[in-house]
Amino acid sequence: VGDRCYEKGMYEAAKLLYSNVSNFARLASTLVHLGEYQAAVDNSRKASSTRTWKEVCFACVDGQEFHLAQLCGLHIVIHADELEELMCYYQDRGYFEELISMLEAALGLERAHMGMFTELAILYSKFKPQKMLEHLELFWSRVNIPKVLRAAEQAHLWAELVFLYDKYEEYDNAVLTMMSHPTEAWKEGQFKDIITKVANVELCYRALQFYLDYKPLLINDLLLVLSPRLDHTRTVSFFSKDAMQHAAESRDAELAQKLLQWFLEEGKRECFAASLFTCYDLLHPDMVLELAWRHNLVDLAMPYFIQVMREYLSKVDRLDALESLHKQEEHVMEPAPLMFDFDGHE
């Protein structure tokens, strides 16, 4: 009879009947239709049924009784297979704040599972990014890292992304992210710790260039950390090349000359030869010839002198051509003499 009353919408009658037989699940459903949400929650607790909790929870959400909805939701989220439906119900109606509050309250439950920590991290990435890093620092071991990684990347949360890459032991991606987004993601201690663990050694050399561009005053600290993994000959060449480029860009002839002399003092013949072309227009040929002769490097410097000679000859040829053109113009513009007849007329 109670069921027939319920189906006919006679909820007051159904309430009395269900109460009389202690059918708490059906009574909770009936109370929802009567708008008696608190009583519905109390009877859901007595029914102890996930289905009843969901029905009452959704009704409380529709009635915007979010405190009562949360009380019901705490009995639902502990079931991993029920979490997605509950979240969709809240999100489809735009109740993101209320959903976040419910999941935050649920983290302390004895039956809290990975899905809850993961979904809360994803919600933070979308709606409360300022809270995501703290959440990860506390619960990174209880989230599905690949899933949260994707959410952090989509939300452009670079510091959080680096943190997750580090915990997931994807050190190469962590370093690349820090170098690509230094303002948000780079931290000196964290970078030096992770760079020593990368699998791709080429990243070490990219890190050197990154420090030269962004943190030149800290390059010595980075070298101390990386020295066991670097090829020292290649590293010296790397810095020599950078020194050459700096000298060329400075447009300082004295600096370029001092760099040449330093290469010779250190026995870096190839760097000396490379500098002749990198800093070509800053060097004086007589000075280069003297240095090459003193250090028995005339053969090494010969391509430079050939280029200098070619330029000088080209300039001389251009000057000769200009002089010839000038003479032709003078000849063409020379005034013709005036002619007079014997009568004194022009």
Side-chain angles (χ1 to χ4, degrees):
V1 175
D3 289 342
R4 291 180 66 180
C5 290
Y6 181 91
E7 290 167 3
K8 295 290 185 178
M10 302 167 63
Y11 298 119
E12 288 289 353
K15 173 183 172 182
L16 292 172
L17 292 166
Y18 288 139
S19 298
N20 190 51
V21 296
S22 299
N23 189 337
F24 301 115
R26 296 296 284 174
L27 178 57
S29 300
T30 303
L31 291 169
V32 161
H33 287 287
L34 292 171
E36 298 179 24
Y37 298 110
Q38 181 64 64
V41 172
D42 294 338
N43 281 277
S44 296
R45 188 174 291 108
K46 295 175 183 178
S48 190
S49 163
T50 302
R51 178 180 176 181
T52 304
W53 281 122
K54 285 168 58 177
E55 182 181 355
V56 175
C57 178
F58 294 165
C60 290
V61 170
D62 292 338
Q64 297 190 352
E65 295 285 345
F66 294 113
H67 175 68
L68 295 175
Q70 178 171 309
L71 292 177
C72 299
L74 294 178
H75 294 274
I76 302 170
V77 294
I78 55 176
H79 302 286
D81 55 343
E82 301 287 353
L83 179 59
E84 183 177 359
E85 183 184 359
L86 177 64
M87 291 187 58
C88 288
Y89 200 89
Y90 272 82
Q91 292 184 93
D92 290 347
R93 290 156 180 76
Y95 298 135
F96 305 108
E97 288 276 352
E98 291 76 13
L99 177 58
I100 289 173
S101 297
M102 180 176 63
L103 288 175
E104 287 175 339
L107 295 186
L109 297 176
E110 185 177 349
R111 295 175 61 185
H113 53 83
M114 178 178 287
M116 294 160 54
F117 292 94
T118 299
E119 295 300 337
L120 181 57
I122 294 171
L123 286 169
Y124 280 153
S125 73
K126 295 177 180 178
F127 306 109
K128 290 190 175 183
Q130 70 278 8
K131 300 187 70 171
M132 187 179 182
L133 186 57
E134 181 185 0
H135 177 70
L136 293 176
E137 289 173 345
L138 290 172
F139 304 115
W140 67 268
S141 62
R142 303 190 67 176
V143 303
N144 182 328
I145 291 182
K147 193 172 181 180
V148 179
L149 270 171
R150 290 192 294 272
E153 187 172 14
Q154 290 172 359
H156 295 176
L157 299 174
W158 308 119
E160 291 79 358
L161 193 63
V162 169
F163 179 86
L164 290 167
Y165 277 139
D166 183 19
K167 297 302 182 183
Y168 204 49
E169 298 184 3
E170 289 194 11
Y171 304 119
D172 292 34
N173 285 331
V175 167
L176 286 171
T177 302
M178 279 192 274
M179 291 193 293
S180 300
H181 307 280
T183 304
E184 300 90 351
W186 180 85
K187 293 180 181 177
E188 182 185 2
Q190 186 182 35
F191 187 89
K192 289 194 296 184
D193 177 58
I194 296 176
I195 192 64
T196 60
K197 304 173 186 176
V198 296
N200 184 0
V201 179
E202 289 301 312
L203 286 176
C204 296
Y205 297 99
R206 288 185 62 177
L208 291 176
Q209 186 61 57
F210 168 74
Y211 265 61
L212 286 172
D213 294 339
Y214 292 97
K215 304 291 179 181
L217 298 180
L218 301 176
I219 191 70
N220 289 338
D221 294 338
L222 182 64
L223 284 170
L224 288 173
V225 171
L226 290 180
S227 58
R229 302 199 64 187
L230 295 173
D231 180 300
H232 292 188
T233 302
R234 180 178 174 183
T235 303
V236 170
S237 299
F238 173 86
F239 282 107
S240 296
K241 180 181 178 182
D242 187 74
M244 284 185 269
Q245 291 176 343
H246 176 73
E249 292 171 1
S250 71
R251 314 306 302 162
D252 187 336
E254 183 180 356
L255 178 62
Q257 180 178 338
K258 287 181 178 179
L259 182 61
L260 273 187
Q261 292 172 336
W262 184 83
F263 284 147
L264 293 173
E265 291 168 2
E266 296 295 320
K268 303 185 184 305
R269 297 159 55 94
E270 293 78 8
C271 293
F272 170 80
S275 294
L276 295 180
F277 291 93
T278 304
C279 305
Y280 180 83
D281 55 343
L282 298 177
L283 302 174
H284 298 290
D286 58 331
M287 179 272 296
V288 174
L289 180 60
E290 180 182 352
L291 289 175
W293 175 71
R294 285 185 176 180
H295 293 84
N296 296 319
L297 297 176
V298 174
D299 289 345
L300 199 62
M302 188 54 65
Y304 165 80
F305 290 120
I306 292 172
Q307 179 66 25
V308 170
M309 184 62 69
R310 182 180 292 116
E311 283 197 3
Y312 280 180
L313 290 175
S314 297
K315 289 179 181 177
V316 170
D317 290 342
R318 286 198 298 272
L319 288 173
D320 286 344
L322 286 172
E323 186 175 357
S324 298
L325 180 63
H326 184 64
K327 286 182 178 180
Q328 290 176 4
E329 289 176 350
E330 285 183 346
H331 179 71
V332 170
M333 296 177 63
E334 184 175 341
L338 294 175
M339 302 298 292
F340 296 90
D341 60 18
F342 291 105
D343 296 329
H345 296 290
E346 185 178 338

